[in-house]
């Protein structure tokens, strides 16, 4: 078949779409702005490449929150089990870590990506690197559907050889979100998709850290210190874990897990107050009893360490947020250890976040992930308006939506591109 398909964005979503379309016997061209493909995927590999999760399907789909309804059908066709099979098909085994998270053996993305690109290349997929898509041409002047010329989409690319205009029968957009822009996904596509008639929710940081107004002393003393074993409570969220104090505020897995709720609260009311239990294994009564022991000539800090074992950065946190007076009253200090209130004032910038929330809304797409305003143009991956916590849920939904967009594009070519 001499029809052409342009997949723009060579991350997990785009490459999966390309693989599915190519398997249907259609020529696929993959375009990416970067000098190499899958850079964010490789970065995910630096922290172990948590590709998916082994929990029950019901639990798994619940991680997509208010977008569960839209993500669940995608996962039914290509979910955690299919993803693991797919990894095995590339010659890599997977294993389940203690937390139920799934990783490829070796915990690296590079061997997987290498094997995948080799297989795509062998199947005839053509890669065009250093091709930065700049939108659909003529759109601004001529209105929404001017870009669909005689049933073909006219695409504009900035390349080392200059501007190129390329026609394609079918387009899959898989441009990623807006975090870690140095890896390629910079969110520059947002206005172009809006011009194309799509509704796009503003990109927001997801799985992100937050700013805290530390005192200069605390900031200088504890930048980079981990808080091990604390329980974070925020609204209905309550989870034990770890996080890191940074110069600007807080980051790390426990903070990321609550970050969507915290971010939304800050957007709504200007700040969010989290509550920390700094001594999860001890009861309030135990702490009161120990802290009530005679202090004698010991400093308050030394009393805290000797009686309840709290020192270092945890003691520093208490110093930051507990008044001098309350520090000397056993009941109040014990209460603060169990319920330390920390005001978070802003999410860290989108570029620092692990992932993005916001993107092309599902209302702008039909059930085949095709833009309602641009027949023949499909969207997949993190550029869609969903978010999920870390734990393999991000990559799984990117692969699943790439798989769905690839299948939809194949079906669309069969019935519309005679
Ligand atoms: C540090 C870090 C660790 C992570 N770890 C994990 C993890 O362990 N598990 C997990 O599930 N998820 C993880 N993620 C998230 C996961 O990597 C992303 O959700 C996933 O890569 C998104 O896939 P995608 O294909 O939608 O977009 P991307 O991987 O971002 O790919 C988009 C591609 O589009 C290209 N592009 C963008 N704009 C243009 C344009 N205008 N023209 C041409 N090309 C363009 C980019 O160069 C890029 O190659 C991590 C992310 C980060 C930053």
């Amino acid at each position: 078949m001499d029809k052409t398909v342009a997949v723009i964005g060579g991350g997990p979503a785009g490459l999966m779409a390309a693989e599915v379309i190519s398997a249907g016997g259609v020529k696929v061209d993959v375009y990416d702005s970067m000098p190499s493909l899958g850079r964010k995927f490789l970065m995910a590999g630096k922290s172990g490449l948590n590709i998916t999760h082994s929990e029950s399907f019901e639990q798994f789909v619940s991680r997509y929150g208010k977008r569960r309804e839209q993500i669940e059908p995608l996962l039914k066709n290509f979910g955690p089990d299919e993803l693991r099979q797919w990894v095995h098909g590339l010659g890599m085994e997977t294993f389940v870590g203690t937390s139920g998270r799934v990783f490829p053996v070796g915990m690296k993305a590079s061997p997987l990506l290498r094997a995948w690109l080799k297989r795509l290349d062998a199947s005839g997929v053509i890669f065009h690197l250093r091709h930065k898509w700049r939108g659909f041409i003529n759109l601004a002047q001529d209105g929404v559907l001017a870009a669909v010329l005689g049933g073909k989409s006219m695409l504009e690319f900035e390349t080392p050889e200059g501007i190129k205009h390329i026609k394609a029968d079918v387009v899959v957009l898989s441009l990623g979100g807006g975090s870690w822009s140095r890896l390629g996904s910079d969110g520059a596509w947002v206005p172009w998709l809006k011009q194309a008639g799509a509704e796009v929710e503003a990109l927001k940081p997801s799985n992100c850290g937050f700013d805290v107004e530390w005192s200069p002393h605390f900031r200088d003393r504890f930048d980079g210190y981990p808080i091990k074993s604390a329980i974070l409570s925020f609204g209905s969220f309550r989870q034990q874990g770890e996080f890191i104090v940074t110069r600007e505020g807080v980051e790390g897995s426990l903070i990321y897990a609550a970050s969507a709720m915290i971010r939304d609260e800050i957007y709504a009311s200007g700040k969010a107050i989290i509550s920390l239990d700094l001594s999860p294994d001890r009861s309030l009564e135990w702490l009161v009893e120990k802290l009530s022991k005679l202090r004698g000539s010991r400093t308050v800090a030394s009393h805290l360490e000797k009686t309840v074992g709290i020192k270092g950065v945890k003691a520093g946190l208490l110093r930051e947020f507990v008044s001098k007076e309350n520090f000397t009253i056993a009941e109040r200090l014990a209460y603060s250890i169990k319920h330390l209130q920390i005001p978070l004032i802003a999410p860290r910038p989108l570029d620092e976040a692990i992932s993005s929330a916001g993107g092309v809304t599902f209302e702008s797409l039909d059930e085949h992930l095709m833009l309602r305003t641009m027949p023949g143009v499909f969207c997949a991956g993190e550029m869609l308006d969903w978010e999920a916590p870390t734990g393999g849920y991000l990559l799984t939904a990117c692969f699943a939506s790439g798989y769905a967009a690839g299948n939809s594009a194949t079906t669309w070519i069969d019935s519309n591109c005679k």
Side-chain angles (χ1 to χ4, degrees):
M1 211 195 273
D2 61 351
K3 299 298 170 190
T4 53
V5 179
V7 172
I8 311 178
L15 294 177
M16 180 54 80
E19 179 154 63
V20 170
I21 298 165
S22 172
V26 180
K27 177 175 171 289
V28 184
D29 290 274
V30 174
Y31 298 88
D32 201 289
S33 53
M34 300 301 280
S36 61
L37 299 163
R39 289 194 172 199
K40 194 174 275 183
F41 186 59
L42 290 175
M43 180 55 72
K46 295 227 158 118
S47 46
L49 197 67
N50 176 199
I51 197 128
T52 191
H53 205 287
S54 62
E55 66 196 5
S56 72
F57 188 75
E58 180 54 30
Q59 256 183 323
F60 195 96
V61 292
S62 74
R63 309 296 180 180
Y64 298 91
K66 56 185 185 207
R67 294 286 170 252
R68 172 190 173 146
E69 198 187 319
Q70 288 83 14
I71 300 290
E72 186 169 349
L74 308 176
L75 295 174
K76 280 195 170 144
N77 287 323
F78 194 89
D81 293 342
E82 288 77 14
L83 182 52
R84 286 184 75 178
Q85 288 307 318
W86 176 85
V87 173
H88 300 162
L90 281 166
M92 230 75 44
E93 286 308 308
T94 54
F95 73 95
V96 180
T98 44
S99 57
R101 295 174 180 220
V102 176
F103 303 88
V105 168
M107 299 177 83
K108 294 223 172 345
S110 44
L112 196 60
L113 184 62
R114 247 195 327 271
W116 193 12
L117 291 176
K118 203 168 153 197
R119 189 164 81 184
L120 288 169
D121 184 55
S123 79
V125 173
I126 298 167
F127 302 114
H128 306 265
L129 304 176
R130 295 190 171 89
H131 275 60
K132 183 163 177 79
W133 182 57
R134 305 209 314 181
F136 301 99
I137 66 160
N138 291 336
L139 209 60
Q141 300 101 300
D142 301 340
V144 171
L145 288 178
V148 182
L149 302 172
K152 289 181 186 266
S153 289
M154 187 65 100
L155 308 160
E156 181 165 293
F157 290 92
E158 192 181 307
T159 79
E161 294 84 43
I163 300 297
K164 279 189 195 167
H165 291 152
I166 290 162
K167 279 184 186 177
D169 293 292
V170 172
V171 179
V172 177
L173 298 174
S174 42
L175 301 157
S179 77
W180 289 63
S181 58
R182 65 185 176 281
L183 303 177
S185 32
D186 58 7
W189 52 267
V190 170
W192 307 326
L193 269 277
K194 283 186 178 168
Q195 278 173 6
E199 191 192 351
V200 184
E201 277 293 322
L203 297 179
K204 298 182 280 280
S206 184
N207 294 300
C208 58
F210 292 89
D211 289 340
V212 181
E213 272 178 311
W214 303 127
S215 67
H217 167 75
F218 182 87
R219 175 179 297 136
D220 291 344
R221 173 80 181 80
F222 294 113
D223 174 24
Y225 274 68
I227 304 275
K228 293 203 169 148
S229 190
I231 295 176
L232 190 161
S233 303
F234 184 76
S236 60
F237 180 93
R238 186 178 154 82
Q239 195 172 302
Q240 186 162 351
E242 297 186 12
F243 66 93
I244 294 169
V245 167
T246 65
R247 284 197 76 72
E248 294 77 21
V250 286
E251 65 176 38
S253 56
L254 183 59
I255 300 292
Y256 298 160
S259 63
M261 290 173 81
I262 297 172
R263 177 202 64 215
D264 289 346
E265 175 64 25
I266 293 176
Y267 286 162
S269 69
K271 74 170 174 187
I273 297 175
I274 57 168
S275 175
L276 285 184
D277 179 348
L278 296 175
S279 190
D281 302 330
R282 301 295 189 189
S283 68
L284 180 66
E285 295 70 32
W286 186 90
L287 290 168
V288 172
E289 189 204 317
K290 298 287 172 195
L291 289 167
S292 301
K293 286 195 172 140
L294 203 60
R295 177 152 71 89
S297 59
R298 277 204 297 251
T299 61
V300 178
S302 140
H303 188 61
L304 190 62
E305 181 177 352
K306 288 269 159 26
T307 53
V308 297
I310 290 184
K311 57 180 180 168
V313 63
K314 282 191 177 176
L317 270 181
L318 290 167
R319 280 277 182 215
E320 276 294 275
F321 296 107
V322 180
S323 70
K324 264 201 173 128
E325 187 202 348
N326 287 348
F327 224 90
T328 57
I329 301 171
E331 290 76 11
R332 292 191 191 168
L333 183 56
Y335 186 83
S336 296
I337 292 170
K338 295 299 280 180
H339 307 275
L340 187 66
Q341 308 286 293
I342 302 188
L344 309 184
I345 54 173
R348 294 297 301 153
L350 173 59
D351 201 38
E352 288 179 20
I354 296 290
S355 57
S356 306
V360 177
T361 67
F362 284 93
E363 291 70 34
S364 299
L365 304 166
D366 68 9
E367 69 275 27
H368 307 294
L369 301 183
M370 186 168 81
L371 280 176
R372 292 185 193 281
T373 53
M374 293 197 76
V377 179
F378 299 81
C379 297
E382 204 182 304
M383 70 181 293
L384 302 180
D385 179 22
W386 58 276
E387 67 179 315
T390 59
Y393 310 106
L394 297 165
L395 281 172
T396 307
C398 289
F399 280 113
S401 59
Y403 184 84
N407 275 312
S408 303
T410 308
T411 310
W412 204 84
I413 294 167
D414 285 347
S415 38
N416 292 279
C417 304
K418 300 283 182 233

